[in-house]
Amino acid sequence: MRKQLRLSGSGGQGVITAAIIFAEAAVAEGKEAAQSQSYGPEARGGASKAEVIIDDAPIYHPHVEQPDIVLAMTQKAADKYYTDLKPDGLLVLDTDLVPEPPDFPNVIRIPITKLAVEQVGKSLFANIVALGAIAHLTGLVNFETVKESVAHRVPPHTVEQNMKALQTGWDAAAKK
Amino acid sequence: MSKARLMQGNEACAEGAIAAGVRFFAGYPITPSTEIAETMAKLLPQYGGKFIQMEDEIGSMGAILGASLAGLKSMDATSGPGFSLKQELIGYAACAEIPCVLVNVQRVGPSTGQPTAPSQADVMQVRWGTHGDHPMIALAPWSVRETYDATVMAVNYSERFRTPVILLMDEIIGHLREKVELPDSVEVYERRKPKKTRAEGYEPYEPDEDLVPNVADFGKGYHIHVTGLLHDATGFPVGSPKVTEESIRRLHEKIARAGDEIIHTEEYFMEDAEYAVVAFGGTARTAYEAVRNAREAGKKVGLLRLMTIWPFADKVIEQLAAKVKGILVAELNYGQVVHEVRRAAQGKCLVELCGKYNMKSFEPKEIEAAIDEMCARRDA
């Protein structure tokens, strides 16, 4: 069963890292995964988009055609990337950074960046909060596997904070 | 097999290079090839190799040629703007028969173009970018796993034929991460050593039976002279028509002799196909999905994927053209491989281009639509 995810925001928010970790978790569970991204030439700022396809069968065309879920961490990304969502797809928005939710039937708003600051201490962890939320909302990978993937990918001295961020995102999505 | 893991195409290229025995990398990082340099910088010291970030693209190419002459398997990676700058030294490597692998992860050009966007528009530059008659080997992988294999193959071919080999990647595969399982070991071609001593009359550029000379590495006790001027078996320039003609012929024939062995292609859904799509690199994956969808809709379409881009798969295309009514060439450019396919098809069937050059990779439905249009035109 193919699932297509798109994580979007601006350069520096860490959506590509979140997508890589999600894909790594899927691979750890024996699934096929294809992760790609598009971004501008800037190191910070500018539009940033990361995609993950998860499937049981081999994946040929490696880019998302119609996402099942779109995460948007900026207003600009929300406006740009929700348009080709499947009609029954899900749009996940950072409540504060996307003040004007696009007109889409299935929207979940989570104060992702605010939670990162309040619960973990830095907006830097917003991507992992988002990852926790996405992991819960998709149900594609086990929480324990995502935890392992996060621990494997982030710098060792930040593991504890990232675990907290992941849990915060997971719990926030669970309440929705 | 080791455990499955998520890996990026550019990382797989670096891993393949290490497995094939590359122990020297000089580069000037450029998007979308940067991760190759990053990974080599991390890996090479662990294997006793050397990584140098050079002052520019030309310096990088010069450094790998020097390292190769000194006996190390060497590699450099770049993208369009850097690839343009390296052309002169690619020709030097071809003429002086210096083994080396140059990776070109294609992005949109011309010039600085669109640094982060995919393209496949360097196909002809790979073949003819450097001046003069010269052979060329170029491989274009379509998956992360195949990038690993193709890099090993590129290193082996460069050593075996003593010629520059281009790994022609694209941004789609270079930046794609997917599940791979790497092999525990690979078949590696070790550079041949001189078969004679100086006393026995060793001449560095004397061709062996396969027309490839056994040039001694620098520092091994042999006197060698390396030049981009056309030279005889001694390695010293000779201004004669005979030596010139023989040299140019030998450079081509040493690779032509290997023939089909280095021309890798794959067919999918080709049985009873009346039409075919020809594609390579990242685009071939989209073409695969388009062809599979067309098959599901009852259309008799197949896919021929080119892994070896140069030398061109003339015979394979000629046979294909004799079998089908039409060939659609899908490539992320204004039309390059399509000209080669037309030449090789020799008018035996319709050959059409499905080109794209707007920063976006193909979507399956675009290639499906182009297949339908071609079929409609041909059957009209």
Side-chain angles (χ1 to χ4, degrees):
Chain A
M1 183 65 184
R2 174 166 293 202
K3 286 287 174 192
Q4 307 180 67
L5 284 74
R6 181 182 292 151
L7 314 184
S8 63
S10 75
Q13 279 184 317
V15 294
I16 296 176
T17 303
I20 292 170
I21 295 172
F22 196 85
E24 275 177 342
V27 167
E29 292 188 358
K31 296 184 174 75
E32 296 289 336
Q35 188 278 322
S36 62
Q37 57 272 306
S38 77
Y39 48 86
E42 311 89 347
R44 291 282 181 276
S48 180
K49 175 183 78 165
E51 295 182 340
V52 185
I53 303 172
I54 311 278
D55 207 330
D56 296 319
I59 298 161
Y60 286 90
H61 178 64
H63 299 145
V64 165
E65 290 174 83
Q66 249 200 323
D68 295 282
I69 185 161
V70 169
L71 164 79
M73 303 267 289
T74 65
Q75 184 71 49
K76 203 173 155 188
D79 296 339
K80 189 173 175 185
Y81 294 124
Y82 86 97
T83 52
D84 57 354
L85 257 168
K86 285 182 184 164
D88 61 347
L90 177 63
L91 180 61
V92 183
L93 305 172
D94 184 308
T95 313
D96 305 295
L97 300 180
V98 188
E100 294 168 38
D103 183 20
F104 188 75
N106 202 4
V107 177
I108 287 185
R109 300 179 82 195
I110 298 172
I112 294 165
T113 307
K114 194 176 162 197
L115 283 171
V117 174
E118 288 175 358
Q119 303 292 318
V120 199
K122 272 184 188 166
S123 64
L124 190 68
F125 297 101
N127 63 335
I128 304 299
V129 175
L131 177 67
I134 295 292
H136 188 279
L137 294 169
T138 57
L140 287 171
V141 280
N142 290 314
F143 190 49
E144 285 306 313
T145 316
V146 185
K147 271 185 170 175
E148 281 167 28
S149 296
V150 170
H152 177 72
R153 174 64 65 169
V154 301
H157 68 279
T158 67
V159 169
E160 202 180 316
Q161 286 164 299
N162 275 298
M163 287 302 140
K164 197 171 177 195
L166 191 69
Q167 188 73 50
T168 301
W170 179 273
D171 293 343
K175 286 180 203 149
K176 294 285 166 178
Chain B
M1 298 289 267
S2 51
K3 202 165 161 272
R5 54 179 161 153
L6 189 77
M7 185 178 280
Q8 191 190 48
N10 283 343
E11 288 175 272
C13 172
E15 295 278 356
I18 295 288
V22 169
R23 290 298 177 267
F24 184 83
F25 183 101
Y28 190 74
I30 177 172
T31 302
S33 76
T34 305
E35 297 85 358
I36 299 175
E38 279 177 356
T39 311
M40 289 306 272
K42 197 172 73 184
L43 292 178
L44 271 173
Q46 298 171 28
Y47 290 85
K50 286 265 183 284
F51 170 93
I52 306 181
Q53 180 162 331
M54 292 294 291
E55 75 276 17
D56 62 24
E57 289 87 349
I58 300 173
S60 310
M61 192 68 200
I64 69 161
L65 297 190
S68 178
L69 284 169
L72 289 184
K73 292 183 181 177
S74 302
M75 189 170 95
D76 180 9
T78 189
S79 187
F83 194 62
S84 289
L85 289 167
K86 294 172 196 291
Q87 291 304 322
E88 182 186 6
L89 285 172
I90 294 170
Y92 186 85
C95 186
E97 299 181 77
I98 307 169
C100 61
V101 172
L102 175 56
V103 188
N104 176 3
V105 188
Q106 295 167 92
R107 66 190 222 185
V108 175
S111 190
T112 318
Q114 297 288 5
T116 56
S119 169
Q120 298 180 309
D122 299 350
V123 174
M124 287 299 173
Q125 186 188 22
V126 163
R127 181 64 191 89
W128 299 113
T130 195
H131 59 275
D133 283 321
H134 59 277
M136 186 48 70
I137 299 175
L139 308 172
W142 82 326
S143 69
V144 173
R145 180 63 175 78
E146 194 181 67
T147 299
Y148 179 89
D149 296 335
T151 309
V152 172
M153 217 179 263
V155 175
N156 285 346
Y157 289 162
S158 78
E159 295 291 333
R160 176 174 153 200
F161 298 108
R162 293 197 66 100
T163 194
V165 175
I166 310 297
L167 187 70
L168 186 62
M169 294 178 64
D170 51 51
E171 191 275 343
I172 299 170
I173 302 303
H175 276 166
L176 177 67
R177 288 182 183 85
E178 61 186 346
K179 186 172 91 176
V180 291
E181 286 184 42
L182 298 184
D184 294 326
S185 66
V186 296
E187 210 170 300
V188 170
Y189 187 92
E190 293 304 343
R191 189 182 297 184
R192 298 199 305 248
K193 293 181 169 57
K195 291 178 177 170
K196 291 179 194 169
T197 62
R198 283 179 67 198
E200 289 163 346
Y202 172 68
E203 289 188 318
Y205 282 90
E206 184 190 347
D208 207 331
E209 281 171 9
D210 61 355
L211 303 182
V212 180
N214 301 317
V215 183
D217 296 332
F218 272 139
K220 299 289 181 200
Y222 291 88
H223 287 193
I224 356 173
H225 185 259
V226 179
T227 175
L229 286 161
L230 284 161
H231 44 270
D232 64 10
T234 66
F236 284 90
V238 177
S240 87
K242 182 170 176 284
V243 167
T244 304
E245 186 180 320
E246 282 173 3
S247 298
I248 291 173
R249 187 187 303 125
R250 184 176 64 74
L251 287 181
H252 286 83
E253 282 188 0
K254 70 177 177 181
I255 290 165
R257 259 188 193 199
D260 297 346
E261 194 195 327
I262 62 169
I263 295 174
H264 306 281
T265 61
E266 280 184 354
E267 292 186 353
Y268 301 92
F269 309 105
M270 277 308 298
E271 200 181 326
D272 81 346
E274 292 177 357
Y275 291 91
V277 177
V278 170
F280 62 99
T283 297
R285 296 171 70 118
T286 309
Y288 180 98
E289 206 143 306
V291 167
R292 191 176 61 189
N293 293 346
R295 277 284 177 180
E296 276 166 16
K299 297 165 195 167
K300 291 186 173 176
V301 188
L303 169 68
L304 173 73
R305 178 175 77 89
L306 306 174
M307 198 275 242
T308 303
I309 301 295
W310 303 112
F312 199 70
D314 282 22
K315 269 191 247 167
V316 179
I317 296 291
E318 193 188 340
Q319 285 161 7
L320 178 69
K323 191 179 148 191
V324 298
K325 295 186 203 170
I327 297 173
L328 183 76
V329 182
E331 49 184 333
L332 276 184
N333 58 45
Y334 199 75
Q336 297 196 14
V337 166
V338 67
H339 300 303
E340 287 298 303
V341 172
R342 259 192 205 122
R343 178 185 59 71
Q346 299 177 47
K348 287 178 180 155
C349 78
L350 181 72
V351 176
E352 290 195 354
L353 168 68
C354 176
K356 190 171 180 180
Y357 36 87
N358 68 348
M359 294 177 72
K360 306 279 185 199
S361 58
F362 280 106
E363 290 177 48
K365 62 187 175 199
E366 293 173 313
I367 298 177
E368 282 175 70
I371 293 170
D372 288 344
E373 283 168 31
M374 175 177 66
C375 297
R377 255 194 299 277
R378 173 60 178 73
D379 294 335

